[in-house]
Amino acid sequence: MDQQKTIAKLTLENEELRKQNKANEQRIAELETLLKSFQAKLFGTKSEKNCLG
């Protein structure tokens, strides 16, 4: 494979990995929010539990 093809392939791979990374970051943020909600329900005060449902 010549250099131009290698560069093109790596560029496409890099773009795909960046998209996956962004999606993973968003998912991690969602899961962290969910975890905080569960922690509040499990360990929070009675008023905190009532606010969260």
Side-chain angles (χ1 to χ4, degrees), residues 16-34:
E16 181 60 30
L17 291 172
R18 286 180 186 270
K19 288 178 189 175
Q20 290 176 12
N21 188 43
K22 186 169 185 165
N24 287 338
E25 288 174 352
Q26 291 173 343
R27 185 65 179 140
I28 288 168
E30 292 169 1
L31 291 171
E32 286 175 340
T33 299
L34 189 59

Side-chain angles (χ1 to χ4, degrees), residues 1-2 6-10 12 16 18-19 24-27 35 41-42 46 51:
M1 198 181 307
D2 68 354
T6 301
I7 290 170
K9 181 182 174 188
L10 291 174
L12 288 173
E16 181 60 30
R18 286 180 186 270
K19 288 178 189 175
N24 287 338
E25 288 174 352
Q26 291 173 343
R27 185 65 179 140
L35 175 61
K41 286 182 180 182
L42 289 172
K46 187 172 182 180
C51 289

